[in-house]
Amino acid sequence: MEKNRWLIALSAIAIHLSIGGAYAYSVYKNPITEQMGWSTTNVTIAFTIMMGLAGFAAALFGSLVEKMGPRKSAIVAAVLFGAGQAGAGIAILADSVVLYWLTYGFLSGLGMGIGYIAPVSTLVKWFPDRRGLATGMAVLGFGSGALITAPVATFLMGAVGISNTYFILGLSYFTLMFLGALYIAPPKESQSLQYGNTSVKIKALAQMSAREAVKTKHFWMLWTMHLINVTAGIMMISIASPMAQEIVGLSAAAAATMVGLMGLFNGGGRLLWAAASDYIGRQNIFIIFFVIQIIAFTTLPFTTNILLFQLFIFLVVSCYGGGFSNLPAFASDLFGTKQLGVIHGYLLTTWSLGGIFGPMIVTLVHNTAHSYIPVFYLFSVLIGFSLMIALWLRYDINKIKKQQKTLSFSMPVHKK
């Protein structure tokens, strides 16, 4: 029986929705510090390990994911992530911070990295006519996971305690990921051709192995663009609440509401920007990202209107989310689907580095200048640099397409 590609997409969403629950980590901080007496720093280290490891795990195990296939890889991810979450409950019962780091941090981080890339290259193969939409749907699940997990975890901690909450969620994540893994599979050749023969099919510039791709300037141009986009987005996410209170006098309650809405723009941006890229091109989407962010970062220091201030923040966060959903589709446009999982994994090292650089830069600048204003100027320069790279990459892509078109017209037709 042939599989349905929309159910494949649903399976990918189930996997990403589960690992995306990790973004709700802030709801655990106060309950754990209050009940266990652990320092805020020690509790935060677990999240830092998980997020830092996730991006590098995607790079390290990308080739293994390609060899194992999406089903086995997703099952491995389900076991690791589910065990990491449930193991955190054991760490709470044992009152062991180190065990908490090893379970919630290390095991969950490995599961998240593998689970993130496992379905993506498969989805691209199922949707050659809608690469952006396909990856956008999956990554929307990742961005939206916290919206579901946060209220559920908060309710469970009040009802059954912290350790039982981790046990319940760990089992739930494993079940959802395992069910998604059972259905997901690459398309048969007949199905791939069926979906590929459409008016909007996007051809790759080349079919490259991961080793070949990393030797090209296009790989490093895309890597640099995404690194700066991720760094800017994570910087904004990490300081949104205190920054809004300091600059435009937003109340703590209003700032908390704003943070919740940022989650919607993060998730929504992943789907909408990716879907739009199928029609106007991934290279143009990144150019739009950087134009929006240059306007936002140069305008924010002078913005006194609270609604306008929040609108700029929402736009920056939507570009951050959209970057993640466009990344694998853009990589498939440039390098094909031959080893997309590995290439995507290498590109996701920007995720870990951005998670380190974003908060580090803003903390250093704020501690030095005692103001968030210089942060905007610094990121305006970085985003301007990214815009130049994006324009250069678009020029290169159009040039190569023109050459390929000319070559195809000039090739002789052999009659039998």
Side-chain angles (χ1 to χ4, degrees):
M1 185 180 71
E2 290 191 341
K3 292 181 181 288
N4 184 294
R5 67 173 180 168
W6 294 103
L7 291 180
I8 294 287
L10 189 62
S11 300
I13 291 171
I15 295 167
H16 273 225
L17 198 65
S18 300
I19 59 176
Y23 272 118
Y25 187 70
S26 59
V27 301
Y28 298 112
K29 281 186 179 179
N30 288 342
I32 291 175
T33 54
E34 290 169 7
Q35 178 179 314
M36 306 304 298
W38 298 350
S39 70
T40 303
T41 302
N42 280 338
V43 175
T44 305
I45 284 174
F47 182 72
T48 305
I49 292 171
M50 177 173 61
M51 298 306 295
L53 186 60
F56 289 118
L60 288 171
F61 297 106
S63 57
L64 185 63
V65 168
E66 287 286 338
K67 289 176 183 176
M68 291 174 63
R71 179 177 298 169
K72 289 181 181 178
S73 300
I75 290 173
V76 170
V79 171
L80 289 170
F81 192 75
Q85 298 292 302
I90 297 174
I92 296 293
L93 290 176
D95 193 10
S96 172
V97 174
V98 174
L99 183 59
Y100 189 70
W101 293 344
L102 290 173
T103 53
Y104 195 96
F106 187 76
L107 286 181
S108 295
L110 286 177
M112 181 186 288
I114 295 171
Y116 190 94
I117 60 172
V120 172
S121 60
T122 302
L123 265 183
V124 170
K125 291 169 186 174
W126 275 98
F127 290 82
D129 54 330
R130 293 284 187 275
R131 293 179 187 177
L133 176 64
T135 56
M137 284 188 292
V139 183
L140 167 64
F142 185 77
S144 305
L147 294 176
I148 298 172
T149 294
V152 171
T154 302
F155 169 77
L156 287 173
M157 282 188 287
V160 298
I162 300 172
S163 57
N164 286 329
T165 296
Y166 277 128
F167 294 147
I168 292 169
L169 289 178
L171 180 60
S172 301
Y173 292 142
F174 170 78
T175 303
L176 199 58
M177 293 175 74
F178 186 75
L179 290 175
L182 289 181
Y183 191 80
I184 203 163
K188 296 177 181 177
E189 187 177 350
S190 59
Q191 289 175 298
S192 185
L193 290 172
Q194 171 193 343
Y195 296 127
N197 291 332
T198 66
S199 60
V200 289
K201 182 182 177 183
I202 303 160
K203 292 177 68 177
L205 291 185
Q207 289 290 337
M208 295 186 183
S209 67
R211 182 174 294 182
E212 291 168 335
V214 296
K215 292 178 181 177
T216 67
K217 67 179 180 181
H218 289 165
F219 175 89
W220 292 106
M221 290 165 81
L222 182 56
W223 187 91
T224 303
M225 285 159 49
H226 195 251
L227 174 63
I228 294 175
N229 192 58
V230 169
T231 304
I234 291 180
M235 177 279 294
M236 188 65 80
I237 291 168
S238 69
I239 62 162
S241 178
M243 177 185 65
Q245 294 177 61
E246 178 183 308
I247 295 177
V248 292
L250 212 62
S251 68
T257 302
M258 180 190 74
V259 171
L261 289 172
M262 285 168 62
L264 292 177
F265 278 85
N266 183 359
R270 292 168 189 253
L271 181 61
L272 294 177
W273 284 120
S277 74
D278 285 329
Y279 297 94
I280 64 176
R282 251 69 72 178
Q283 62 272 28
N284 292 322
I285 287 290
F286 270 90
I287 289 170
I288 292 170
F289 286 165
F290 299 136
V291 170
I292 287 173
Q293 290 180 82
I294 284 176
I295 294 171
F297 285 124
T298 54
T299 307
L300 277 168
F302 309 103
T303 304
T304 55
N305 183 283
I306 291 175
L307 291 178
L308 186 60
F309 189 88
Q310 292 181 87
L311 177 61
F312 280 133
I313 291 175
F314 294 151
L315 286 173
V316 171
V317 172
S318 80
C319 294
Y320 164 77
F324 276 103
S325 58
N326 273 282
L327 185 66
F330 204 166
S332 70
D333 292 348
L334 295 172
F335 312 116
T337 57
K338 186 177 179 181
Q339 282 194 307
L340 180 59
V342 186
I343 296 169
H344 185 209
Y346 290 161
L347 289 167
L348 282 175
T349 54
T350 56
W351 180 13
S352 296
L353 292 174
I356 296 168
F357 292 148
M360 184 188 297
I361 290 171
V362 72
T363 301
L364 181 63
V365 173
H366 188 265
N367 289 345
T368 304
H370 305 291
S371 169
Y372 287 111
I373 301 299
V375 175
F376 299 134
Y377 297 135
L378 174 60
F379 274 92
S380 295
V381 174
L382 291 173
I383 295 296
F385 177 64
S386 289
L387 177 59
M388 288 190 291
I389 295 176
L391 290 168
W392 182 11
L393 182 55
R394 183 177 68 174
Y395 171 79
D396 263 14
I397 290 171
N398 290 338
K399 183 180 177 182
I400 293 170
K401 283 183 176 178
K402 189 176 180 180
Q403 290 172 345
Q404 290 177 340
K405 192 174 182 181
T406 303
L407 185 64
S408 65
F409 277 122
S410 63
M411 289 181 69
V413 178
H414 296 283
K415 294 182 179 180
K416 290 185 179 179

